[in-house]
């Protein structure tokens, strides 16, 4: 048909161009590991990203090449994202908390050409350099020397036109660090990233505007830093980055820079609450706190809400760019009691436009959205993975459904509630017991610092739960007290057959409970009563 | 590169699918012209849109065919939008306020196959039926008879799969009603519409969430109803439609349905203020009022802001889908005085991600963003027109810049301020005088109901302004009083050489001053002093 609209490729460089043109004076603040602070602006980020793109081309990189980072959150890391994508490359954020064999595997599998790293991670670089087969250049983000980031930029004039091309070209790669098997690389396209960024700005997701001052506590190396480095440019927000996650530093920085939005895993808030209790300090300007990565405990949600903060309980994965659902206030929010509001936020919320969810049972039968039928959560949409990097097969079925490995229920209003990881669910006599629910209930018991629930062999019920508990320092909480507390929160047949006290529990590199190791340890365990 | 993201075509049917799946119970309320009210939901809209798509196919329509409407705002009109686009057609909203020759031209030029019309516009249909060459079917939205909309749907079962295809296929056409020449058709694609809908939800544009209860007072036939029918589905908002725009009806409906967001031209608020003053009633739940179509006077902005309402001063055109800029609160809003906040809102705001602006002088030289240099406003982006329907030539230059015909300045922070329409600007001795500024200043003078400034021939200055004033009923305001008032608001050399009092001023079909007619009337006018 003759006539129509203009057609522009949706490339991530247009996000930065927008920020640099329309929000050029908005600040990007960095608090470095050594305590120093630097300030730049979107104009500065854009100028430096162009210089970086020039430098990468000078180093011989070409369209499609991977540019790795081993770094915390800071303005130079942001420059690296846009610079790498701007020269047609893929920014590849590596999680420095991974184990050495994973670090070696990931960089080799991605065939990274350059690595930008924080000085704090220099020991990792030294240790792994000989194993990394494709990295030709190492650049230290926070070195003032000739090997440093600023020296690399200083050689360029910034007169550079972004590499253009189809919006379906890739701009980023991020590896998932599962508890089994080799990490898998998720490839994001310019198109998927821009559409995701547009969706993230909306009030029912991150609620990003020019007035937003965001401190992403979630590391930029973790699941696309939840997408904020891209969406923040689209909205022209002010960024406040901290390269360390000490609550004292964060709280002080939040108040000095008037941070309105943060995003991070629940652990961040455990630490922040301790700091608040000890010092009486409090982050005064916070309006929206997004919690994801793992389920936020009810007590945490309640405390933040009582501070007048909107708590966004999010669910997502590296494979979902990462926003899958967001627990924004429902349409009838103002008519709900505080308790009902908290109830709502303990669930993982609803999908934004773009994401579709369904729950299927073990036979693949789609379950009703009745708030009761639980099953494997599947997801699809324009920012959901279709195939892992170099994978022989698609990561999805013929209808694009991606199996998340989470177990959840869907409520009639579309709200999604994670009940467990599929592999962690405890199957007792054909019924499912949520290990996550048991653990969350247990940490609400006075004296309990952390808890892990696993299923162990039972001759009659196949599996029954046992609970491993780490006591808080100085606590002498007993198994009977824990059971009595649990009895108030879960069905009677969910109560663990035994409660064991342990000194500590194993964790993955990203801080989650390493259930595989715990199960391995208990694989020959027999219940006393069985 | 092996690996990547899923790829879904961005089609407007996915907006409705999302609303029907995730916000199925959210209501769509219609207050009809006869005073009756009906309620449906997003699930109901989706069901009916599928039935309508079936019915259109039964009537013989094919992909790419145009489906016209001559209608006010109501739920059935919304069904028609999605039903027409869902069967692969183009929804074509016709402005019933146009003159007969325009109405005849538009439907023939678009080659509309079906016309859905409100009973209130039946006289137009009767008058024009013989002139419309391509319309084969006429369906009355609010008739209970066999020619009615519900009868058409009743014959279908709604088991229908949306027509699929490339996201660059068209889904809508809307004609601009300029003051000269034939109307021109703007074609929107599925892609441009979905991207625009995503952008509209963001806090700095319409701020749409599941909690939003929006009453679009802007008619759905005017400039895509400002995009709300599409974006509203993406956010799952509640819609409240009124087929009549009487302030008493609107105010009552807003309060009963707890309307939080409205969008309309300034005239709406003139009428609403009169109603509020006369009755003491006030729309109690309003949070965000978007005003566009023409510049909102300062006094209007001030009064709404004093009610605790956020005023979004928007600029856009049929050619811009229609959002060009939006006057959302700036990043430093909370630090501004009330006066400074009002100052800001009197301007037209900033572009969202996706839109680019520039201002050029008569020689096409790009002007600095200094808040002073005025010139012709040009715009480009993924939801800006590239070519009018059936046009021989592109509507844009080689770099995609579309000349808006508006005269504006860009401020250093990116804020855009319309100063005039290019053809209305008064050129006095090589300097430009804004007719809009003169008119807006004049209506602030007690006793002035409406004013029009035009340039008339002057032997020395080429042009000098004269001001035509319509007095308020009962007022005896004098030319001297008007001049004295103007002197407080504009530069001395802008003061009109003469002030004439007239009984009324001519308007376009969309309620704007018809300057061409006024200029025609004064083309031989000579200033007394010249």
């Amino acid at each position: 048909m003759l006539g129509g609209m203009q057609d522009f490729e949706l490339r991530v460089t247009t996000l930065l161009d927008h920020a640099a043109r329309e929000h050029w004076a908005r600040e990007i603040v960095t608090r470095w590991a050594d305590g120093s602070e630097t300030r730049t602006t979107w104009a500065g980020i854009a100028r430096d990203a162009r210089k970086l793109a020039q430098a990468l081309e000078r180093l011989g990189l070409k369209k499609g090449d991977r540019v790795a980072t081993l770094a915390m959150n800071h303005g130079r890391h942001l420059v690296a994202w846009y610079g790498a994508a701007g020269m047609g490359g893929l920014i590849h954020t590596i999680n420095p908390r991974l184990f050495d064999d994973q670090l070696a595997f990931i960089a080799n599998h991605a065939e990274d050409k350059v690595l930008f790293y924080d000085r704090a991670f220099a020991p990792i670089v030294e240790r792994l350099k000989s194993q990394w087969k494709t990295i030709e250049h190492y650049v230290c983000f926070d070195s003032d020397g000739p090997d440093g980031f600023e020296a690399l930029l200083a050689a360029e004039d910034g007169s550079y036109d972004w590499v253009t091309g189809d919006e379906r070209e890739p701009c980023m790669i991020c590896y998932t660090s599962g508890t089994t098997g080799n990490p898998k690389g998720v490839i994001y396209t310019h198109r998927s990233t821009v559409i995701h960024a547009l969706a993230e700005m909306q009030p029912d997701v991150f609620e990003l505007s020019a007035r937003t001052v965001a401190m992403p506590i979630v590391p930029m190396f973790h699941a696309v830093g939840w997408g904020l480095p891209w969406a923040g440019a689209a909205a022209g927000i002010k960024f406040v980055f901290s390269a360390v996650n000490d609550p004292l530093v964060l709280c002080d920085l939040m108040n000095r820079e008037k941070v309105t939005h943060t995003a991070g895993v629940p652990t961040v808030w455990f630490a922040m609450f301790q700091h608040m209790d000890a010092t009486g300090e409090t982050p005064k300007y916070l309006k929206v706190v997004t919690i994801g990565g793992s389920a936020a405990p009810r007590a945490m949600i309640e405390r933040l809400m009582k501070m007048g903060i909107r708590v966004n309980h999010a669910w997502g994965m590296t494979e979902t760019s990462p926003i899958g659902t967001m627990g924004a206030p429902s349409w009838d929010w103002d008519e709900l009691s505080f308790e009902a509001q908290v109830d709502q936020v303990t669930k993982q919320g609803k999908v934004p436009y773009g994401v579709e969810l369904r729950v299927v049972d073990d036979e693949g039968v789609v379950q009703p959205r009745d708030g009761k039928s639980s099953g494997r959560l599947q997801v699809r949409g324009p920012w959901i993975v279709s195939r892992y990097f170099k994978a022989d097969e698609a990561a999805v079925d013929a209808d694009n459904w991606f199996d998340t490995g989470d177990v959840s229920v869907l409520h009639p209003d579309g709200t999604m509630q994670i009940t467990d990881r599929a592999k962690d669910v405890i199957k007792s006599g054909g019924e499912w017991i949520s290990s996550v629910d048991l653990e969350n209930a247990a940490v609400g018991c006075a004296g309990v610092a952390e808890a892990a629930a696993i299923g162990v062999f039972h001759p009659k019920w196949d599996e029954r739960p046992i609970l491993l508990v780490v006591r808080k320092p100085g606590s002498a909480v007993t198994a009977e007290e824990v059971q009595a507390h649990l009895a108030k929160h879960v069905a009677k047949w969910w109560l663990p057959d035994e409660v064991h006290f342990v000194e500590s529990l194993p964790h993955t590199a990203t801080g989650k409970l390493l259930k595989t190791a715990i199960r391995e340890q208990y694989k020959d365990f027999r219940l006393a009563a069985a």
Side-chain angles (χ1 to χ4, degrees), chain A residues 21 42 144 157 181 206 233 281 298 301 318 331 395 429 464 490:
Chain A
R21 194 173 53 237
W42 280 112
D144 295 332
D157 65 5
F206 275 119
E281 297 288 329
R298 185 184 179 90
I301 291 167
T318 301
W331 67 271
R464 284 297 301 162
V490 301

Side-chain angles (χ1 to χ4, degrees), chain A residues 284-308:
Chain A
K284 293 183 188 65
Y285 301 94
L286 275 184
K287 288 180 188 163
V288 181
V289 164
T290 301
I291 304 182
S294 53
R298 185 184 179 90
M300 178 177 290
I301 291 167
E302 214 165 55
R303 179 162 180 177
L304 287 166
M305 283 175 60
K306 281 183 178 157
M307 290 165 67

Side-chain angles (χ1 to χ4, degrees), chain A residues 392-415:
Chain A
D392 293 330
E393 290 176 6
V396 297
D397 71 13
D399 294 321
N400 271 314
W401 289 107
F402 172 75
D403 194 296
T404 64
D406 279 320
V407 173
S408 77
V409 299
L410 290 173
H411 291 265
D413 73 347
T415 298

Side-chain angles (χ1 to χ4, degrees), chain A residues 374-442:
Chain A
S374 80
R376 300 177 71 91
L377 179 67
Q378 301 188 329
V379 59
R380 67 180 180 186
W383 58 76
I384 312 297
V385 69
S386 67
R387 184 187 291 254
Y388 293 107
F389 184 43
K390 296 181 183 174
D392 293 330
E393 290 176 6
V396 297
D397 71 13
D399 294 321
N400 271 314
W401 289 107
F402 172 75
D403 194 296
T404 64
D406 279 320
V407 173
S408 77
V409 299
L410 290 173
H411 291 265
D413 73 347
T415 298
M416 193 272 285
Q417 185 175 8
I418 294 282
T419 53
D420 213 339
R421 290 290 298 168
K423 56 182 175 296
D424 295 341
V425 82
I426 299 158
K427 297 184 180 178
S428 171
E431 299 287 340
W432 290 9
I433 296 172
S434 163
S435 67
V436 169
D437 283 359
L438 279 177
E439 290 155 9
N440 280 349

Side-chain angles (χ1 to χ4, degrees), chain A residues 108 111 153 170 220 243 358 395 433 511:
Chain A
N108 288 333
E111 300 168 58
L153 296 193
M220 289 167 71
R358 70 177 190 182
I433 296 172

Side-chain angles (χ1 to χ4, degrees), chain A residues 31 42 47 119 161 170 236 250 266 275 278 296 307 327 331 361 485 496:
Chain A
R31 199 272 186 195
W42 280 112
R47 178 200 62 226
R119 198 157 45 183
D161 291 326
L250 296 185
H275 168 72
M307 290 165 67
W331 67 271
D361 68 11
H485 176 84

